Amino acid sequence: MTAPSTSCRDLEPEVVALARGELPPAEAAPLRAHLEGCSSCASLHADTLRVRAAAAARPAPVPGEASRARLRAVLDAAWEESLAEEEAEADRRRSRGPVLRLLDHAGRRYAESRAVRFLTFSVAIHAAAAVALTVHLVGGGGGSGDRRPLIEVSGTFELPPPYPEDPFTAPPVPEGGIAEGTPLPWIPDAGWPVPGSSFPGAEPTPVLQDPLDFSAAQRLYPNGEFSAFATARFRSDLRTRGLARAWGAEEATAVGRAVERSLAFLAGTQESDGTWPSGRPGDPKPQRDRFRGGVTGICVGAFLADGRTALREGTYSSVVRDAVNALAGSQDRRTGLLGAFTAGPANDRPLVNHGPALGALAEAYGLDWRFLREETRRDLAAVILRGIAASLAAQREDGSFGYAPGARSGDASVTLLQIEALEAARLAGFEVGRAALDRAAAWIASRIGPDGRLGYRVAGDRGADATLTAEALTLDRVLRLPPEVRDRMLAEVLREAAAADLGDRVLFRSAVLETLAPRDAAEPGNPAGAVVRATLRSQSPSGAFGTRKDTWSLAAGDALGTARTVRALTAPWR
Amino acid sequence: MEEADDVLLMERFRDGDRSALEALVDRHHASLVRYFFHQSRSWETAEDLAQETWVRIIRHRAHYQPTARFQTYLFSIARNLWIDRYRSQKAAPPTFSADREVGGEEGEGVALATLLPGKEPEPSERASVHEEAGRIREALEDLPEGLRQVFELGEIQGLKYTEVGSILDIPVGTVKSRMHAAIQRLRQALAPRRGGKPAGKGPS
Ligand SMILES: [Zn+2]
């Protein structure tokens, strides 16, 4: 065999293309002439044909009758399901959405006062950018324009300039950019990131050495926008340090492994549409769908907490992508509410789904926005803006949130979910006014009894359950509770934690852990180590953290318990 | 024109004609199974993922827009499914046993014949083609994922470089150079030529 000459090396890809019939005649003819006189290229040409013939001759099964019958059954079921879904979707569009119900019934006066004012508020994306998108809350007035969106996003969209002092280096955008498909999915599903690329790549600049140093971070980024990128989730050294400090040096390694196993469990139980169901296997379908959006939001949060984002290199990027796409696609275009995966009576608590869904999208956006193509970014930002507007529009006059827009009474758990979501949006760079958060926080504070317990509707109700109190404590930096109130709450939570069997109460346990995360495990009297050990003992061989004895709005289930536990265990580095 | 028909069928299906899907399944299900089988080496996985591909097409039919050949659309979905599966199974690589790999289950038929269009190999060449099939199969398992995907998609009947590129979301130039790289590595696995001239550094 003659060695290929330099010019032949350049020809080789063409020779392969020729053998595959890829070349137009005008290019094929001269190349064929070259093959006549060049044994090296001729042999490549012949080998290409042989490789293809051999590949084609590999044995492979051909679906037989039994397989075809199975396929037909599967397709019939999927077809029926899709028809039912379309019908439900049409129903949803025909029937009046929750906000319209608000306009028509319970909150008529309240709604009219808003409609008359033709409430317009602006939400700027990132403080640095000029006012970018305007969100109109329109509608009301008569009710003739039923199909008109109640929440509109309009105006020019200006992308914020890159942060001048980004301490980490972004991975390179692939050649040709990220391909865009139809309006959905929001985040392209193929081809990126390139396997082998890794993040982060560079040393931190002297500007912000340590994202765990919150006082320095907040000095440099007073609006909190640092959390959109300067997070320890992408730095294994910082994560290890955070874990050891909060949970104890011995527990840290085991926690890392437990998180890994939990994420594998979640990835394995994600359904093909990118979501996770509420309830338990075997529950009737409405129960599985009832809080699907909320549970999916919290599951996304678990992956994000571990630095597993949609666009950064990693085992679970497609898991997160699918879930983000599902949540973005679940938005009701009229009301802006997110996370409804069922219509009719089972969708009776839309804000319970909306909160975690909005929070997850905002956090996903915050961590990945620099890698999104502009159109995708704009689309995703618009979804989040509509979601923020929907939350703000649903806030009751007393500052609380109920199960649905227009609900007659507020609920502390739903209010906490909205606060968490709006805070996530703020940290991702969306300008959410403090006023709404302050009003919600004041309402929460008014529901805390002298015993330090937060009630669901009024101070002191539901005395048997301190989960809500612990959940409120995890949002302390937003709620800004008076120190003496906070201390009373913490004492009550720790008293119950000491008395309770933590093995079965995954949500309570997780909230307690997250409350303790900012503290030092070595602090005298800090029970973090014991709670962590109880948590690790309760992990099932599948990696799940199940729950039996908790009460919470999001019906208990293994996906929820597992995701909530991951959020708690990773709190020291989030 | 079969391609135009495919797109037409898919549009009819999108608009609610269930029988149009049956026609598409009849045309493409076998190549779908074959594609997944060569990825996974498992009949169960191949059947499962091929079914799932069609289920996704049913679910997302409302969003279908005829921007490309139907096969490009079909195998984009298939490839994404495979990536999901591949990633979630990385911890536990698929196991397969040699006697299982060909037999399928419940007496599924097995096609040993080539799907490659063109002339039938001469009887004297036939034995060596089947011998080489085994070598190529093994060599493909050692190929990096990026090269292997390009090669396998290229083996799907009628898919051109541009289409492989749009399925994998990479430029055509990259497809061309990856295909070349794949062929260069695979040809090493070819049997020595008659007359003792090895193709590349073939096994001795
Ligand atoms: Zn040559």
Side-chain angles (χ1 to χ4, degrees), chain A residues 18-264:
Chain A
L18 174 72
R20 301 183 47 90
E22 295 274 350
L23 293 188
E27 292 172 35
L31 196 54
R32 281 189 204 285
H34 171 79
L35 294 187
E36 298 290 323
C38 174
S39 67
S40 160
C41 288
S43 130
L44 176 61
H45 187 266
D47 283 353
T48 305
L49 296 176
R50 283 175 72 194
V51 166
R52 292 201 71 199
R58 287 174 295 167
V62 170
E65 221 9 80
S67 172
R68 291 271 178 179
R70 281 195 295 272
L71 176 65
R72 265 193 302 276
V74 168
L75 296 190
D76 283 344
W79 174 249
E80 292 302 324
E81 197 180 305
S82 86
L83 287 184
E85 215 150 274
E86 264 172 33
E87 213 158 293
E89 175 66 26
D91 273 354
R92 205 168 356 189
R93 253 174 281 156
R94 267 196 303 275
S95 76
R96 302 172 161 196
V99 170
L100 198 63
R101 250 198 334 269
L102 159 87
L103 293 170
D104 281 348
H105 305 301
R108 179 162 205 119
R109 209 159 49 103
Y110 164 70
E112 275 175 359
S113 70
R114 297 198 142 193
V116 167
R117 275 187 287 133
F118 192 71
L119 188 71
T120 297
F121 51 95
S122 302
V123 185
I125 300 184
H126 300 97
V131 170
L133 286 181
T134 305
V135 182
H136 300 283
L137 182 69
V138 298
S144 52
D146 269 3
R147 301 184 69 89
R148 211 156 40 124
L150 286 171
I151 290 171
E152 272 175 1
V153 177
S154 62
T156 49
F157 183 89
E158 287 176 34
L159 295 175
Y163 289 105
E165 290 154 350
D166 186 342
F168 299 133
T169 299
V173 173
E175 189 185 347
I178 304 167
E180 191 80 8
T182 45
L184 281 174
W186 304 103
I187 295 177
D189 201 15
W192 202 74
V194 180
S197 75
S198 63
F199 185 92
E203 290 293 311
T205 71
V207 177
L208 179 58
Q209 290 283 10
D210 183 358
L212 288 179
D213 178 358
F214 272 75
S215 61
Q218 267 164 341
R219 196 176 65 246
L220 288 159
Y221 301 98
N223 290 319
E225 67 271 34
F226 69 93
S227 76
F229 58 90
T231 159
R233 336 180 184 216
F234 305 117
R235 290 275 306 272
S236 63
D237 55 330
L238 296 176
R239 289 163 47 142
T240 311
R241 222 178 69 210
L243 279 187
R245 193 207 66 228
W247 306 146
E250 278 170 37
E251 286 77 9
T253 323
V255 165
R257 277 201 303 271
V259 167
E260 201 53 50
R261 288 170 57 210
S262 288
L263 295 183

